[in-house]
Amino acid sequence: MRVTCPLFLVRRTYGPCGRQSAGTASTAGRLLRGMLRGAAAGAAGCTALDTVGYLDMVVRGRGASTTPDATVERLSQVVRLPVPGPPGVRANRVAALGRITGITAGVGMGATLGLLTAAGWRPRDATLTATAGVLALIGTNGPMTVLRVTDPRTWSASDWAADLVPHVAYAVVAAAVFKGLAPDARSGNEAGRGPRSWCEAVRLRFT
């Protein structure tokens, strides 16, 4: 026995404009979820980047990079917003701000990746990983280069290795987490979804 549904109820459910008004995420919601998914992947990538960097410090016995601190100092001068406090306290604040800028860049680049995919970009796995790495390099080295804190053209091979290896770790982990957080392709609106319009609902009902 087939149960029919009055047409006016179908129209109410799916809206007079022909688009489903219930059960379908809005464009803004989809973009927001994509950004949050990317931000989470970026945060995981930051953890991988920092871990590889610290392991390199242990193996080679080198000190921490001073470019994040120099970037904060330079940015403070450019925007004319000094970091307050006596010398010792101020140095600690600058160091903390340097670390925060790195985390912000990593999470922000991940959010950008999530926004791109939520907007419809569907890259292959290798392209996704490469894009994550390029975005991370731009997000971290870009500001330092623009502010003239460093010049990549003068870097030695060991400098490039010390910079690229952690960013590769960031890209691999961020891409893996990003894919792991992807909604199941067999759930939601991709599979078993209802009709998107009342017109489609009526057509399906009588076919």
Side-chain angles (χ1 to χ4, degrees), residues 48-191:
L49 184 148
D50 288 341
T51 301
V52 172
Y54 288 131
L55 287 174
D56 180 60
M57 292 169 61
V58 171
V59 172
R60 297 201 294 166
R62 66 174 179 85
S65 174
T66 60
T67 51
D69 300 4
T71 302
V72 172
E73 293 279 16
R74 179 58 180 160
L75 185 60
S76 175
Q77 296 173 3
V78 171
V79 300
R80 297 182 180 180
L81 185 63
V83 179
V89 174
R90 183 180 181 280
N92 292 335
R93 287 174 175 164
V94 169
L97 287 171
R99 304 304 179 269
I100 290 174
T101 56
I103 295 173
T104 302
V107 174
M109 293 303 102
T112 301
L113 192 65
L115 182 62
L116 291 173
T117 56
W121 184 48
R122 296 292 182 268
R124 296 179 179 272
D125 293 350
T127 303
L128 179 67
T129 303
T131 303
V134 171
L135 287 176
L137 284 169
I138 293 174
T140 54
N141 294 329
M144 292 188 293
T145 303
V146 171
L147 294 171
R148 298 182 180 179
V149 172
T150 185
D151 186 354
R153 294 173 300 180
T154 64
W155 291 1
S156 64
S158 60
D159 293 333
W160 274 107
D163 187 72
L164 287 177
V165 172
H167 284 92
V168 170
Y170 170 94
V172 171
V173 172
V177 172
F178 189 78
K179 286 187 58 182
L181 293 177
D184 188 354
R186 299 187 62 183
S187 65
N189 293 331
E190 294 299 325

